[in-house]
Amino acid sequence: MKFFHTADWHLGKLVQGVYMTEDQAYILDQFLEAIKLEKPDAVIIAGDLYDRAVPPTDAVQLLNQTLETIVIDLKTPVLAIAGNHDSPSRLNFGSKIMKSVGFHIVGEFSHPFEPVILNDEFGEVHFHLVPYTEPGKVRHVFLDDTIKSHDDAMKKIIDKIDDIKDEKARHVLVGHAFITHNGEEKENTSDSERPLSIGGAEHVNDSHLKDFHYVALGHLHQAHHSGIETIRYSGSPLKYSSSEANHKKGYLVVELNGEGEVTVEKRLLTPRRDLYIVEGYIAEIERHSHCEDYVFVRLLDESPILSPMERIRSVYPNAMHVERTGVKAPTLTDSESHGMNRMKLDDLSLFKAFYKEVKGLDATRETEQLFEKTLQKILEIEGER
Amino acid sequence: MKFFHTADWHLGKLVQGVYMTEDQAYILDQFLEAIKLEKPDAVIIAGDLYDRAVPPTDAVQLLNQTLETIVIDLKTPVLAIAGNHDSPSRLNFGSKIMKSVGFHIVGEFSHPFEPVILNDEFGEVHFHLVPYTEPGKVRHVFLDDTIKSHDDAMKKIIDKIDDIKDEKARHVLVGHAFITHNGEEKENTSDSERPLSIGGAEHVNDSHLKDFHYVALGHLHQAHHSGIETIRYSGSPLKYSSSEANHKKGYLVVELNGEGEVTVEKRLLTPRRDLYIVEGYIAEIERHSHCEDYVFVRLLDESPILSPMERIRSVYPNAMHVERTGVKAPTLTDSESHGMNRMKLDDLSLFKAFYKEVKGLDATRETEQLFEKTLQKILEIEGER
């Protein structure tokens, strides 16, 4: 049996105020092409189909068209779960009706479990679809007060799956969680993932999952295995933050043979516009050739630059962010330049330092007086309010 | 062929701040029972399934469960369209996938049309599902600048349906619009319907629809026919405003014979709590027996009543609104009691009149002084801001 494993589409996502829907449509088109060519037996989407509980309508339309194409036109079953960004009940709508046509989606966590069963020449493969769930919900469903963390919750869920596991079949778990190897955290997180819990109890030990023939995960946006090669994140199909600049985005092709052995291949997708970091001096960057990519620019210049974004966008019209890593406030000593110390400067000194930083010249006495007069006036007006 | 015609469920509706979801679940339960007993060949829901574009999640769950029961458990096809309260694209989600299982929903208006075809022993019945649509959208789809009003839009749509109409089949139109007989308006509107356009161009002449064997409409909450007996509103299954107090709520059972002749029967549903107007004096009303219904109370008392809602709710705990139709301000002359004149009174006179109305006594000099002092203080504080 061969299936595609993808996750974290985040349809409807805004990156730095830019809607990614067109980029998402572009990448999903390639994904559909790949399904058409390779004819997998199923497509797994391991959560975060949408970026938020109530996605914009064009994201709803994009997901609808994509799923219709896979399920109806390409006659390929889809196995999907809700992630922490999705609304369980909204994603659940129609799930029972769509099941019989080959679209299996589990939005809301519930028990008893019922795997989706697909067949190949070697027999049955059971897909266990576990949507993202708060530990409190699992505690409530099983009336088990010992469940406190995500780790406790996943352990309980796996125990319950074990109870119904048909030993003759092969088993695939589809989940959306923060899985780490024996509790050690590797550097696999990105800025575009929303923490699952505040205070650190979000990690789930991969040892709970080791008895499945394959575990298809969503949540972390970088493709990797947990440390156990059959427990994998496919990663998101697109870069959603500058911390993902060096990721290679795509999806996984998983082949499961009759013995339950797995081979995994990563296939890359080509984005409409890449997303990466450009570092350099403004004068250098202005000599780059015109480029539509989503760039995050780090300017090394130490001297003041007026309208840096405007200048950068003449070359990179879709630049997302400019940061000035080379800047030091020239009139301040090192200790003064520290934010906390700056706040201790009086208003006039602060103004003078700012003026010099921007204009490259000291403020004249006349300018200082104008500043003081204006500030005085503002403070008076504010006092009257 | 026998089908049920219903509309305007408005799941997720708030009436006077009260969520109607439990009442809606109660009434839909009866509706499901009726389907189980009478085994219609189809169920038509003519728009406004939800009360708003993004309904609360319990409304999504209620619709999901109801549709799953009808389609999966009772194996009865559902034919539904979006109304003006629904989000076309959100309601459209999964429509192509769910079609093959017997759930036919058209959220978004699009062309070419394709009727849903059901069969009985006499042949085919074609159901033409026309969701609520802005005239501008119809103008755009057909590139026809002459379409200005809802009437123009419906006429165009019907013309287009005529082009593909199979004359051997029987034809049912499902629509969500404000249909009137030859443009005359009868007293069929309620306060819980949202106008389709501001300025009056919302009416559609029923003569455009007369060539269908049956027209199943939604939008107006009172069950009635347009003046042509085959063009009908089923009305909403529940009362959603005090203007609907006298409506008989339910659904229609439509039988279509082999000649395309129609018989319509109205079936009533019993709400968990009725909704009506109670008129009387407070002392009378307090002697009523305890009642859980949603009442709108009109008090005839002329004298002041303290905490009238509290007193009413001791008998009618779910009272929704209290109005005092018998009140006259006792210390003011008739001309003074007019709102505009009241505004001309100085603050002290206004206070004295109010005091007398509430307490039934003249304010003492001491009370007046206290009022003036307090008012003075408030005005000073406001002046300082």
Side-chain angles (χ1 to χ4, degrees):
Chain A
M1 175 162 305
K2 178 169 72 182
F3 52 85
F4 284 6
H5 167 194
T6 178
D8 298 286
W9 290 4
H10 288 272
L11 302 185
K13 188 167 181 67
L14 280 159
V15 178
Q16 297 281 335
V18 178
Y19 266 111
M20 302 299 282
T21 317
E22 270 184 67
D23 300 82
Q24 291 168 327
Y26 184 92
I27 217 84
L28 288 176
D29 238 24
Q30 280 174 55
F31 188 64
L32 294 176
E33 271 308 307
I35 298 170
K36 219 172 282 179
L37 280 171
E38 274 206 64
K39 299 190 188 5
D41 299 298
V43 170
I44 291 175
I45 316 172
D48 287 355
L49 284 75
Y50 292 126
D51 193 55
R52 41 191 153 119
V54 180
T57 54
D58 57 359
V60 175
Q61 285 167 340
L62 177 56
L63 183 62
N64 189 37
Q65 283 160 11
T66 305
L67 294 173
E68 281 181 356
T69 305
I70 303 175
V71 174
I72 305 282
D73 302 341
L74 305 176
K75 293 184 179 33
T76 308
V78 170
L79 312 171
I81 57 171
N84 56 310
H85 284 249
D86 300 306
S87 159
S89 50
R90 290 182 205 280
L91 211 55
N92 227 41
F93 186 86
S95 57
K96 213 168 141 189
I97 299 175
M98 295 190 282
K99 210 176 155 68
S100 58
V101 195
F103 179 51
H104 306 266
I105 185 156
V106 181
E108 281 178 291
F109 179 78
S110 70
H111 189 256
F113 301 132
E114 209 187 316
V116 176
I117 301 175
L118 300 181
N119 287 280
D120 62 9
E121 63 270 41
F122 308 110
E124 293 183 352
V125 180
H126 291 210
F127 293 85
H128 305 272
L129 273 49
V130 180
Y132 169 75
T133 318
E134 295 286 339
K137 169 98 190 193
V138 181
R139 181 165 62 237
H140 178 78
V141 166
F142 295 115
L143 302 169
D144 179 347
D145 277 346
T146 67
I147 295 169
K148 310 278 186 212
S149 64
H150 279 278
D151 192 73
D152 299 337
M154 186 62 86
K155 192 173 174 316
K156 185 78 180 186
I157 291 168
I158 302 302
D159 284 350
K160 291 287 175 182
I161 292 176
D162 280 345
D163 292 347
I164 57 153
K165 235 170 163 184
D166 176 353
E167 285 308 322
K168 291 190 299 294
R170 288 156 291 161
H171 294 274
V172 175
L173 183 84
V174 181
H176 192 93
F178 194 151
I179 307 289
T180 54
H181 192 43
N182 299 322
E184 302 154 21
E185 191 175 346
K186 291 196 296 180
E187 283 291 314
N188 285 312
T189 59
S190 317
D191 294 343
S192 57
E193 295 137 12
R194 188 193 293 162
L196 299 181
S197 73
I198 305 302
E202 58 175 341
H203 294 180
V204 171
N205 200 313
D206 64 353
S207 63
H208 307 320
L209 312 176
K210 64 183 184 337
D211 291 338
F212 290 88
H213 296 93
Y214 184 72
V215 178
L217 294 170
H219 181 53
L220 300 179
H221 288 185
Q222 177 158 35
H224 67 284
H225 62 73
S226 75
I228 297 173
E229 290 202 16
T230 51
I231 301 177
R232 289 201 182 249
Y233 286 94
S234 64
S236 58
L238 273 177
K239 300 176 184 178
Y240 287 131
S241 66
S242 60
S243 67
E244 293 165 69
N246 297 319
H247 290 189
K248 303 275 177 230
K249 297 296 193 182
Y251 60 97
L252 303 177
V253 181
V254 182
E255 291 224 42
L256 190 63
N257 71 12
E259 270 68 56
E261 292 157 350
V262 144
T263 53
V264 179
E265 250 186 70
K266 184 171 169 181
R267 298 286 163 79
L268 301 186
L269 295 168
T270 308
R272 184 172 73 130
R273 293 170 184 157
D274 201 358
L275 184 156
Y276 49 87
I277 295 163
V278 170
E279 197 172 77
Y281 293 91
I282 186 82
E284 262 170 46
I285 292 172
E286 285 181 314
R287 286 194 300 270
H288 289 186
S289 34
H290 182 90
C291 175
E292 302 269 331
D293 286 341
Y294 295 125
V295 295
F296 287 71
V297 177
R298 291 189 185 147
L299 286 180
L300 300 175
D301 302 69
E302 289 178 25
S303 50
I305 301 169
L306 282 177
S307 315
M309 188 51 122
E310 205 172 295
R311 290 173 65 179
I312 287 162
R313 287 206 169 142
S314 70
V315 182
Y316 292 101
N318 300 305
M320 285 195 148
H321 191 252
V322 184
E323 204 182 338
R324 301 206 45 192
T325 54
V327 158
K328 275 190 196 162
T331 56
L332 300 175
T333 66
D334 262 3
S335 79
E336 279 172 346
S337 75
H338 187 272
M340 287 303 292
N341 285 329
R342 247 189 217 186
M343 288 180 67
K344 287 184 199 149
L345 289 179
D346 66 61
D347 293 324
L348 182 60
S349 312
L350 204 55
F351 169 72
K352 281 162 73 180
F354 175 74
Y355 189 91
K356 187 157 183 182
E357 188 175 330
V358 173
K359 299 272 279 189
L361 295 167
D362 282 317
T364 61
R365 183 69 208 127
E366 205 185 332
T367 304
E368 284 179 23
Q369 280 167 352
L370 185 63
F371 168 75
E372 285 190 308
K373 236 170 77 185
T374 309
L375 181 66
Q376 190 55 35
K377 214 175 233 166
I378 291 168
L379 293 175
E380 274 167 20
I381 292 167
E382 287 204 333
E384 279 166 17
R385 282 213 192 117
Chain B
M1 174 161 305
K2 177 170 70 181
F3 53 85
F4 284 7
H5 167 195
T6 177
D8 299 284
W9 290 5
H10 289 272
L11 301 186
K13 187 167 183 69
L14 282 158
V15 178
Q16 297 283 333
V18 178
Y19 265 111
M20 301 300 282
T21 318
E22 271 185 67
D23 300 81
Q24 290 168 328
Y26 184 92
I27 217 84
L28 288 177
D29 240 22
Q30 280 173 56
F31 188 63
L32 293 176
E33 273 308 307
I35 297 170
K36 219 173 283 179
L37 281 171
E38 274 207 64
K39 300 189 189 3
D41 299 297
V43 170
I44 291 174
I45 316 172
D48 286 355
L49 285 74
Y50 292 126
D51 193 54
R52 42 193 152 118
V54 180
T57 55
D58 58 357
V60 175
Q61 285 167 340
L62 178 57
L63 183 61
N64 189 36
Q65 283 159 12
T66 305
L67 293 174
E68 281 180 357
T69 306
I70 303 176
V71 174
I72 306 282
D73 304 340
L74 304 177
K75 295 185 178 34
T76 308
V78 169
L79 313 171
I81 56 171
N84 56 311
H85 284 249
D86 299 306
S87 158
S89 50
R90 291 183 204 280
L91 212 55
N92 226 42
F93 187 85
S95 57
K96 212 167 142 188
I97 299 175
M98 296 190 280
K99 209 176 156 67
S100 58
V101 194
F103 179 52
H104 306 267
I105 185 156
V106 181
E108 281 178 291
F109 179 79
S110 69
H111 188 255
F113 301 131
E114 208 187 315
V116 176
I117 300 176
L118 299 181
N119 286 280
D120 63 9
E121 64 269 41
F122 309 109
E124 294 183 350
V125 180
H126 291 212
F127 293 85
H128 305 272
L129 273 51
V130 180
Y132 169 74
T133 318
E134 295 287 338
K137 169 96 187 194
V138 181
R139 181 166 60 236
H140 178 78
V141 165
F142 295 116
L143 302 169
D144 178 349
D145 278 346
T146 67
I147 295 170
K148 309 279 188 211
S149 64
H150 280 277
D151 192 73
D152 299 337
M154 186 63 86
K155 192 173 176 316
K156 185 78 181 190
I157 291 167
I158 302 302
D159 284 349
K160 290 288 176 179
I161 292 176
D162 280 345
D163 291 347
I164 57 152
K165 236 170 164 183
D166 175 353
E167 284 308 321
K168 291 190 299 295
R170 289 155 292 162
H171 294 274
V172 175
L173 183 84
V174 181
H176 192 93
F178 194 150
I179 307 289
T180 54
H181 192 43
N182 298 324
E184 301 155 19
E185 191 175 348
K186 289 195 296 180
E187 283 293 312
N188 285 313
T189 59
S190 316
D191 293 343
S192 58
E193 296 137 11
R194 188 192 293 161
L196 299 182
S197 73
I198 305 303
E202 58 175 342
H203 294 179
V204 171
N205 200 316
D206 65 353
S207 63
H208 306 320
L209 312 175
K210 66 183 183 336
D211 291 339
F212 290 89
H213 296 94
Y214 184 72
V215 178
L217 294 170
H219 181 54
L220 300 180
H221 289 186
Q222 177 158 33
H224 67 283
H225 62 73
S226 75
I228 298 173
E229 291 202 13
T230 51
I231 302 177
R232 287 199 183 251
Y233 285 94
S234 64
S236 58
L238 275 175
K239 299 176 185 177
Y240 287 131
S241 66
S242 60
S243 67
E244 293 164 69
N246 297 321
H247 291 189
K248 304 277 178 228
K249 298 295 195 181
Y251 60 96
L252 303 177
V253 179
V254 182
E255 293 224 42
L256 190 63
N257 70 11
E259 269 70 55
E261 291 156 351
V262 144
T263 54
V264 180
E265 252 186 69
K266 184 171 171 182
R267 300 286 162 80
L268 300 187
L269 295 167
T270 308
R272 184 172 74 127
R273 294 171 184 155
D274 201 359
L275 185 156
Y276 48 89
I277 295 163
V278 171
E279 199 173 76
Y281 293 90
I282 187 81
E284 262 171 45
I285 291 172
E286 284 181 314
R287 286 194 299 272
H288 288 186
S289 36
H290 181 91
C291 174
E292 302 269 331
D293 286 341
Y294 296 125
V295 295
F296 288 71
V297 177
R298 290 189 188 149
L299 286 180
L300 299 175
D301 302 70
E302 287 178 25
S303 51
I305 302 170
L306 280 178
S307 315
M309 187 51 120
E310 208 173 292
R311 291 173 64 179
I312 287 162
R313 286 207 169 139
S314 69
V315 183
Y316 292 101
N318 300 306
M320 286 195 148
H321 191 254
V322 184
E323 205 184 337
R324 300 205 45 192
T325 53
V327 157
K328 275 189 194 163
T331 57
L332 300 175
T333 65
D334 262 3
S335 79
E336 278 170 347
S337 75
H338 188 271
M340 287 303 292
N341 285 330
R342 249 189 213 186
M343 288 179 68
K344 285 184 201 150
L345 290 178
D346 66 63
D347 293 323
L348 182 61
S349 312
L350 206 53
F351 168 72
K352 282 162 72 180
F354 174 74
Y355 188 91
K356 187 158 183 182
E357 186 173 331
V358 173
K359 299 273 278 188
L361 294 166
D362 282 319
T364 62
R365 184 69 207 130
E366 208 184 332
T367 305
E368 283 180 20
Q369 280 165 351
L370 186 63
F371 168 75
E372 285 189 310
K373 238 169 74 185
T374 310
L375 180 66
Q376 189 57 32
K377 216 176 236 165
I378 291 168
L379 292 175
E380 273 166 23
I381 292 167
E382 288 205 332
E384 278 166 19
R385 284 214 191 115

